[in-house]
Amino acid sequence: MANGWYPITKRNSFMEKGGVIKIVKDILFPIFCVDCGVEGSFCCDDCLANFKQNKIIKIDFRLKKQVRAVYLDNLTALFDYKKNLYIQKLIHLFKYEYCEEVGDIWQNFYKMFLDFNTHYDFIIPVPLHQRRLKERGFNQSEVLANKLYEEFYIYNSKVILNTRDLKRIRYTTQQIHLGGEKRAENLQNAFAWSGGDLIGKKILLVDDVYTTGATLNESAKVLKNVGACQVDCLVLAKD
């Protein structure tokens, strides 16, 4: 686990241990659906089913005229952030109230909406700076990447989850406090790649919310500079 590359067999053992912990937590700290209030999950089965008609957002940046350099190729967002109050509540729980268990709900949405026959060589979460990681306790993008990897592996056993080599090397102001241009400036030279070259590799970057795209674009720039031929991104919602 220390090297950040997860074969699925090791992930299974982690999930079994996590299952025991979850049972204990459910008894001591019951959770409730953020929509209807029923006990047992942040999103009950009935409310989950209400999303079956949801239309995901897809953007091909290569077809769009850009004001600034864009290193991302494609964006997939599961939801429109502004149009889904329920999704906003779940993201707030996940990102700002540190409810890591909400990751199970995101995995259910992955199963509902995504085509896992698409080929990628690497799944890579957007990293947190070590200082921010200590403040938060976990990287929400890494949780999402883990959940996504479990689903992709079923269809592509050669896909690799790499949580190690894309690093956030500079501590930056939180993006939520900045406007569009300032976000891009804030992230310049904030990321670095510590692994081998990625010549000819297809990468799927994973994050929670796409707003201006500055974080994902700067990450993609680093990956393209070491040879990646395609960098797509998957997010929970586009703001």
Side-chain angles (χ1 to χ4, degrees):
M1 186 173 68
N3 67 2
W5 292 42
Y6 295 93
I8 199 70
T9 51
K10 290 186 179 180
R11 289 286 307 147
N12 286 339
S13 66
F14 299 155
M15 286 187 285
E16 288 169 7
K17 294 176 184 176
V20 175
I21 295 172
K22 183 179 186 302
I23 292 171
V24 175
K25 290 177 71 175
D26 286 348
I27 294 172
L28 296 177
F29 307 102
I31 59 177
F32 303 89
C33 178
V34 298
D35 190 22
C36 70
V38 68
E39 184 178 345
S41 171
F42 288 114
C43 180
C44 70
D45 290 342
D46 289 340
C47 290
L48 185 67
N50 291 335
F51 285 97
K52 287 184 178 178
Q53 302 305 314
N54 174 66
K55 293 184 179 180
I56 65 175
I57 299 168
K58 287 184 174 289
I59 298 174
D60 186 338
F61 293 106
R62 297 165 297 185
L63 301 178
K64 295 174 67 69
K65 188 175 181 178
Q66 306 294 343
V67 176
R68 58 186 172 87
V70 176
Y71 299 90
L72 291 168
D73 292 293
N74 297 280
L75 165 73
T76 299
L78 300 188
F79 300 99
D80 184 319
Y81 186 84
K82 291 185 175 67
K83 293 181 179 179
N84 287 279
L85 179 60
Y86 180 60
I87 295 302
Q88 292 178 33
K89 291 179 180 178
L90 285 175
I91 289 174
H92 191 274
L93 278 170
F94 185 53
K95 189 170 183 178
Y96 299 110
E97 297 187 32
Y98 314 128
C99 293
E100 191 172 349
E101 298 91 336
V102 179
D104 294 334
I105 297 170
W106 303 132
Q107 187 167 3
N108 285 330
F109 285 133
Y110 288 152
K111 292 177 183 177
M112 288 172 63
F113 301 132
L114 297 181
D115 176 8
F116 294 102
N117 289 307
T118 305
H119 173 76
Y120 291 102
D121 297 290
F122 290 96
I123 295 172
I124 299 176
V126 171
L128 286 179
H129 190 273
Q130 284 299 310
R131 176 177 162 186
R132 189 87 69 201
L133 185 60
K134 289 178 181 178
E135 293 170 356
R136 181 169 290 168
F138 70 97
N139 178 0
Q140 74 278 1
S141 297
E142 185 171 335
V143 173
L144 294 172
N146 283 329
K147 300 297 184 182
L148 187 66
Y149 169 70
E150 290 168 12
E151 300 306 316
F152 259 107
Y153 185 89
I154 297 171
Y155 298 89
N156 175 16
S157 61
K158 295 182 179 180
V159 68
I160 293 172
L161 171 64
N162 186 327
T163 63
R164 176 190 65 188
D165 291 325
L166 182 62
K167 298 181 183 297
R168 199 158 190 153
I169 57 173
R170 187 167 60 79
Y171 188 77
T172 58
T173 302
Q174 287 189 311
Q175 293 289 88
I176 194 172
H177 302 304
L178 302 173
E181 290 186 7
K182 291 294 184 181
R183 287 184 178 220
E185 292 175 8
N186 184 47
L187 289 166
Q188 286 181 1
N189 303 314
F191 299 95
W193 179 255
S194 63
D197 69 64
L198 296 173
I199 295 173
K201 302 300 184 183
K202 294 183 178 180
I203 312 297
L204 182 59
L205 269 175
V206 180
D207 205 0
D208 49 15
V209 178
Y210 181 99
T211 305
T212 64
T215 302
L216 284 158
N217 194 54
E218 192 67 22
S219 299
K221 177 182 177 181
V222 170
L223 299 174
K224 288 282 183 76
N225 283 343
V226 291
C229 67
Q230 181 175 330
V231 181
D232 295 342
C233 58
L234 172 68
V235 296
L236 301 176
K238 182 181 182 300
D239 194 0

